[in-house]
């Protein structure tokens, strides 16, 4: 089959371009990286009356259930939703680290590309530490995978290869990143969460740049069948994220009826708008690179992201 090209006039990235991008990102990492162990004040007390996620991004915001809740109940819901999202973040970082490490086995260990991958892996390890400490600091418990979910998650790193590796990285990074950028300066947010988001956004910007360049390189140099396959299957991320964002366990921990809470969340226009805004930039990028085919588009739309 003939090789594919991007749907834009952008020149196809070359191996030399890959090294240039990696070198630039390495320089950025030297100038602006964080160590959450010392860059977050873990001993600072929580601020009474502040949320762990701003009300407007909570899954039940604006629903009848939300209107019936007290301020204390709403803050508790924000604690549990934040703990859930941080747990999901840790799961994803773990999957990505495993996939990147497998990929490095076949790369030139002297290249700037490899050096940046290792730098990114260090960032992600620190992020996992930061997420875990934040869950503990907010007085919550992490959410765990069920056994059948754990089976699937343990298989995923083996399937993330080529274009799919970089697209999966973007699905796990960009949607969270877009939401964090909008809310990290919210005055109702706990200072610890605001600082955590700022650190994460700063470092994820480099990771997203790296993954996008990886996608462009693969699309320009891969056969049409790979682009068709990734463009068809990547929409599975939509229902998966929808399920994770409306985890019944977090509603139960917040003292709510989990089935009714999830039902109201899934029909909540505010929640759907939040999902669409988070996915907007990534959706446009996937369209641009020819990686948003009809089956995936339908799955993202059905899950409320389009």
């Amino acid at each position: 089959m003939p090789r594919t090209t991007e749907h834009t006039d952008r020149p196809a990235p070359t191996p030399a371009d890959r090294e240039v991008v990696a070198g630039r990102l390495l320089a950025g990492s030297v100038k602006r990286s964080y160590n959450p162990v010392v860059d977050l004040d873990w001993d600072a007390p929580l601020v009474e009356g502040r949320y762990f996620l701003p009300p407007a991004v909570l899954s039940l915001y604006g629903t009848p259930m939300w209107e019936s809740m007290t301020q204390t109940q709403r803050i508790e819901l924000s604690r549990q939703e934040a703990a859930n999202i941080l747990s999901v973040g840790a799961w994803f970082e773990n999957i990505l680290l495993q996939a990147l490490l497998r990929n490095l086995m076949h790369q030139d260990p002297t290249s700037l590309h490899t050096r940046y991958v290792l730098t990114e892996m260090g960032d992600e390890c620190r992020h996992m530490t930061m997420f875990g400490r934040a869950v503990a600091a907010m007085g919550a418990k992490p959410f765990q995978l069920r056994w059948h979910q754990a089976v699937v998650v343990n298989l995923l790193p083996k399937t993330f290869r080529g274009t799919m590796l970089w697209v999966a990285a973007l699905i796990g990074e960009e949607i969270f990143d877009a939401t964090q950028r909008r809310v990290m300066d919210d005055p109702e947010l706990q200072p610890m969460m605001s600082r955590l988001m700022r650190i994460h956004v700063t470092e994820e910007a480099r990771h997203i740049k790296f993954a996008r360049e990886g996608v462009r390189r693969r699309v320009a140099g891969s056969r049409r069948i790979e682009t068709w396959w990734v463009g068809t299957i990547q929409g599975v991320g939509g229902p998966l994220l929808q399920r994770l964002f409306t985890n019944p366990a977090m509603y139960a921990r917040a003292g709510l009826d989990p089935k009714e809470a999830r039902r109201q969340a899934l029909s909540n226009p505010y929640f759907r708008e939040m999902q669409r805004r988070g996915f907007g930039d990534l959706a446009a990028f996937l369209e641009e690179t020819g990686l948003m085919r009809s089956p995936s588009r339908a799955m993202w739309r059905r899950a409320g992201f389009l």
Side-chain angles (χ1 to χ4, degrees), residues 42-262:
W42 298 109
D43 296 324
L46 298 174
V47 179
E48 188 72 24
R50 295 279 189 95
Y51 284 82
F52 297 88
L53 288 174
V57 302
L58 296 175
S59 61
L60 291 176
Y61 176 76
T63 63
M65 186 171 280
W66 174 267
E67 296 302 329
S68 70
M69 295 166 66
T70 66
Q71 178 78 346
T72 299
Q73 289 174 319
R74 292 172 176 178
I75 290 175
E76 182 57 28
L77 175 64
S78 78
R79 186 198 315 271
Q80 298 304 332
E81 288 209 25
N84 179 64
I85 287 176
L86 291 173
S87 298
V88 171
W91 301 341
F92 176 77
E93 306 286 28
N94 191 310
I95 294 169
L96 180 60
L97 285 169
Q98 292 181 60
L100 288 173
L101 199 56
R102 285 176 177 274
N103 183 261
L104 278 186
M105 185 66 73
H106 311 287
Q107 301 296 321
D108 176 1
T110 68
S111 70
L112 293 176
H113 174 84
T114 296
R115 198 183 307 168
Y116 182 73
V117 170
L118 290 168
T119 300
E120 178 171 332
M121 290 173 66
D123 291 342
E124 304 294 25
C125 285
R126 288 187 292 275
H127 293 170
M128 291 173 69
T129 301
M130 178 170 67
F131 296 165
R133 291 194 68 167
V135 171
M138 67 174 64
K141 293 181 179 179
F143 289 82
Q144 302 291 342
L145 292 164
R146 296 183 178 182
W147 71 267
H148 60 279
Q149 294 172 324
V151 170
V152 174
V153 164
N154 284 324
L155 291 174
L156 283 178
K158 299 178 182 178
T159 67
F160 289 168
R161 299 178 182 178
T163 307
M164 194 67 239
L165 169 61
W166 302 115
V167 171
L170 289 172
I171 290 172
E173 291 172 342
E174 287 218 35
I175 297 172
F176 292 97
D177 182 76
T179 300
Q180 288 177 105
R181 286 179 181 275
R182 293 202 312 272
V183 306
M184 62 186 181
D185 293 322
D186 192 298
E188 293 189 90
L189 196 61
Q190 288 283 349
M192 175 193 71
M193 292 300 294
S194 180
R195 179 62 173 164
L196 177 151
M197 290 180 185
R198 186 166 296 282
I199 289 173
H200 197 237
V201 161
T202 299
E203 297 187 331
E204 287 297 306
R206 295 192 293 267
H207 302 174
I208 290 169
K209 170 70 172 177
F210 192 61
R212 283 195 173 211
E213 289 303 310
V215 168
R216 291 192 175 100
R217 231 176 13 256
R218 291 292 308 187
V219 167
S222 63
R223 296 190 179 276
R224 187 173 296 170
I225 186 65
E226 181 180 356
T227 302
W228 174 86
W229 169 248
V230 174
T232 299
I233 199 66
Q234 53 84 6
V236 171
L240 174 62
L241 288 175
Q242 182 196 62
R243 176 68 185 183
L244 293 173
F245 289 165
T246 58
N247 183 356
M250 69 188 186
Y251 300 127
R253 290 190 187 181
L256 304 172
D257 178 341
K259 290 184 179 180
E260 179 60 19
R262 187 167 191 271

Side-chain angles (χ1 to χ4, degrees), residues 10-28:
R10 181 194 298 269
T14 67
D17 293 331
R18 184 178 83 162
E19 289 293 274
V20 170
V21 170
R24 189 180 305 126
L25 294 174
L26 281 167

